[in-house]
Amino acid sequence: LCRSDEVRMLRSSFFHETAPMYLSEQPSFLNAAIEVETSLEPHVLLKLLKDVEQDLGRNFSEVRNGPRPLDLDVLFCDRFENGAWKHLEIDSSELQIPHPGIAEREFVLKPLSEVSGGEYMHPLLNQTVQQMNEQLPKSTGPSAVRVLPLPRNRTILFNETIVMGILNVTPDSFSDGGNWDKSVAVAVEHALQMQRDGASIIDIGGESTRPGAKEVEEEEQIRRTVPVIKAIREESDIPISIDTRHARVTRAAVEAGADIVNDVSGGLHDDRMLETVAEMGVPIVLMHMRGTPETMLSMTEYTNVVDDVTQSLKERVKAAEEAGIPRWLQIADPGIGFAKDMTGNLLLLKNLDKIRSHLHDIPIMVGTSRKGFLGKLTGVTEASERDFATVGSMIAPLCLEGKDHTCSILRVHNVAATVHATRVLDAIKSV
């Protein structure tokens, strides 16, 4: 749609899975909303939407409200006239604006509120999006669940805290360097063991980003990671993320079977990264850091670490969206240990709710696993012995948030211990 020169995406919602409506004997719905700016008249825009539907396989002779690959609608339309925005109302045989079904559909109102804001006013009903949401009948079934879309029609459901298992196929990572790079078979078996332990994602890295680490050539990263990705794909369809700052490595990894890009630079290290991720249509983790692994420990002074990191992440989220990566494919990471001192790390963990709120509830990834500040707090000098501290540093921030549920990913070395802890956390929050 946005490949048209006359349509530009301004904002996007997250993806939500809901029970099917009207005709229950069909798969669950996946729903999202976008706000676009266009010079097209509404009927011309509708024709463009129907062309997109047809190109993507929709059969217009199908049963009304029955299974279909996608269904695109115009919900509202505002026009700028005489220096002010005005609601447009259309009632024709081909198009009705506002869309007549908005007020009764949770699967529309949920993503719509993320794009328009709860105070957007329905011009005919004289109700805000928030008011329409509040007046929906209480459902006896599960409510809308946020999802992360993946390649090959797969998703990750945020109906629980997600655990990501770390697989470093490097000789020099700070905790497990040299453990899993001896052979592809050794690396694959560790990945499969983490899956058995409950990991929802395997994060594969071919470049250490520990403090002081030097940059690894792209070709060497590809040599280390791609054979492992391909071999895991022969055994499992578990989601795989590629931990890299480089667009060329990203492309090779996704083509080999990776599903997510985890970029510790937030897309700043390689100016081709965001456009590459947008082209490949995969999710990206946008992490905050300053400098490079070689220089970051000299860059730990902030005016206000929580506000500064939050503002930087807001800028990266906006840059990603402008590059064509919708919000439903974005995850933010405050970058614990990356250009942060002890106090900075603790303040970020303590204020995770503030960061999440200012980023409009974007999924947050937290990566404290076995890091140096935990060793200083506990006196445990051996990184591989810091798993107890890791679990505490992961679970405490989610408890401090106080919300029933948040969309969170915990990136860890010890998957089993973290999965056990998150299951208890999720159970307590759900009652």
Side-chain angles (χ1 to χ4, degrees):
L1 174 64
C2 294
R3 289 174 184 166
S4 166
D5 293 336
E6 296 176 292
V7 180
R8 183 169 73 93
M9 184 173 71
L10 300 179
R11 272 176 289 275
S12 54
S13 73
F14 302 111
F15 253 55
H16 300 265
E17 182 178 281
T18 59
M21 195 170 181
Y22 305 119
L23 187 62
S24 60
E25 298 300 319
Q26 59 178 317
S28 297
F29 289 171
L30 289 176
N31 319 282
I34 62 172
E35 179 183 3
V36 302
E37 180 181 76
T38 180
S39 59
L40 300 176
E41 288 297 317
H43 284 84
V44 179
L45 177 62
L46 179 65
K47 173 64 168 58
L48 179 58
L49 295 179
K50 297 307 160 187
D51 289 344
V52 171
E53 290 180 349
Q54 188 168 26
D55 290 345
L56 293 177
R58 182 168 181 182
N59 178 4
F60 290 97
S61 64
E62 62 204 358
V63 176
R64 179 173 174 77
N65 296 322
R68 61 259 194 215
L70 77 167
D71 188 350
L72 303 176
D73 289 309
V74 180
L75 300 178
F76 293 110
C77 185
D78 293 346
R79 177 172 284 167
F80 195 72
E81 293 179 350
N82 301 320
W85 287 101
K86 297 181 179 179
H87 294 304
L88 193 64
E89 298 176 19
I90 296 176
D91 188 2
S92 71
S93 57
E94 297 86 16
L95 178 63
Q96 289 179 279
I97 297 178
H99 191 282
I102 291 174
E104 66 185 35
R105 299 175 178 177
E106 181 193 20
F107 67 84
V108 172
L109 288 170
K110 189 73 172 178
L112 176 61
S113 66
E114 295 168 348
V115 171
S116 67
E119 298 308 308
Y120 186 90
M121 182 69 69
H122 192 299
L124 300 182
L125 301 180
N126 292 319
Q127 291 181 319
T128 65
V129 171
Q130 181 177 340
Q131 288 170 331
M132 288 187 284
N133 247 320
E134 292 171 349
Q135 292 179 15
L136 284 172
K138 295 297 182 183
S139 173
T140 57
S143 59
V145 176
R146 287 259 294 276
V147 302
L148 184 69
L150 300 177
R152 303 189 303 283
N153 298 317
R154 292 139 64 235
T155 60
I156 292 173
L157 271 66
F158 284 110
N159 59 350
E160 62 183 1
T161 303
I162 304 300
V163 176
M164 172 189 284
I166 299 169
L167 178 60
N168 289 317
V169 285
T170 57
D172 58 342
S173 291
F174 79 96
S175 171
D176 57 354
N179 288 354
W180 316 116
D181 67 330
K182 297 295 187 291
S183 72
V184 170
V186 167
V188 171
E189 177 51 36
H190 185 56
L192 297 177
Q193 183 58 53
M194 288 193 288
Q195 182 179 10
R196 290 191 288 269
D197 288 341
S200 297
I201 308 168
I202 304 297
D203 186 51
I204 301 177
E207 177 187 46
S208 173
T209 51
R210 76 188 192 287
K214 297 185 181 299
E215 188 168 353
V216 176
E217 293 291 333
E218 293 174 347
E219 194 59 45
E220 176 62 14
Q221 290 185 57
I222 292 170
R223 186 195 69 79
R224 292 173 179 178
T225 59
V226 164
V228 175
I229 294 169
K230 289 181 176 179
I232 292 174
R233 276 290 161 260
E234 293 178 358
E235 302 291 334
S236 171
D237 205 30
I238 187 170
I240 295 172
S241 64
I242 178 66
D243 183 354
T244 185
R245 301 175 284 166
H246 300 86
R248 183 163 169 251
V249 179
T250 289
R251 185 176 297 279
V254 173
E255 289 176 349
D259 306 289
I260 303 167
V261 179
N262 180 14
D263 184 349
V264 298
S265 78
L268 288 170
H269 183 77
D270 186 334
D271 59 13
R272 302 165 299 165
M273 178 61 92
L274 295 183
E275 66 181 56
T276 299
V277 173
E279 177 192 338
M280 307 201 83
V282 295
I284 184 170
V285 180
L286 300 162
M287 199 192 81
H288 174 271
M289 74 177 301
R290 288 174 166 177
T292 68
E294 291 184 83
T295 64
M296 62 186 179
L297 289 188
S298 66
M299 307 174 76
T300 61
E301 293 187 11
Y302 297 82
T303 302
N304 181 303
V305 67
V306 175
D307 290 347
D308 292 353
V309 168
T310 301
Q311 181 58 37
S312 178
L313 286 173
K314 286 175 72 173
E315 292 169 2
R316 299 319 302 153
V317 165
K318 181 179 179 182
E321 200 158 28
E322 290 176 346
I325 305 171
R327 230 177 1 148
W328 60 71
L329 292 178
Q330 296 184 33
I331 300 158
D333 182 338
I336 303 299
F338 286 79
K340 319 292 190 307
D341 58 16
M342 169 72 79
T343 302
N345 288 325
L346 296 177
L347 283 171
L348 289 169
L349 292 171
K350 184 177 181 179
N351 290 279
L352 208 59
D353 58 339
K354 181 178 180 180
I355 298 171
R356 196 188 301 271
S357 175
H358 282 282
L359 294 177
H360 304 292
D361 207 26
I362 195 169
I364 298 289
M365 188 165 86
V366 180
T368 64
S369 190
R370 300 180 178 176
K371 288 187 175 175
F373 82 102
L374 297 177
K376 292 177 182 177
L377 286 171
T378 61
V380 177
T381 57
E382 185 64 38
S384 61
E385 299 298 320
R386 297 173 187 156
D387 289 336
F388 294 139
T390 294
V391 171
S393 67
M394 295 284 198
I395 298 300
L398 301 185
C399 292
L400 289 172
E401 288 193 89
K403 297 179 181 178
D404 290 343
H405 183 70
T406 56
C407 298
S408 303
I409 301 174
L410 307 183
R411 181 180 180 272
V412 297
H413 297 86
N414 188 327
V415 168
T418 310
V419 167
H420 291 172
T422 59
R423 285 177 179 167
V424 174
L425 170 72
D426 291 341
I428 292 172
K429 286 197 168 192
S430 67
V431 296

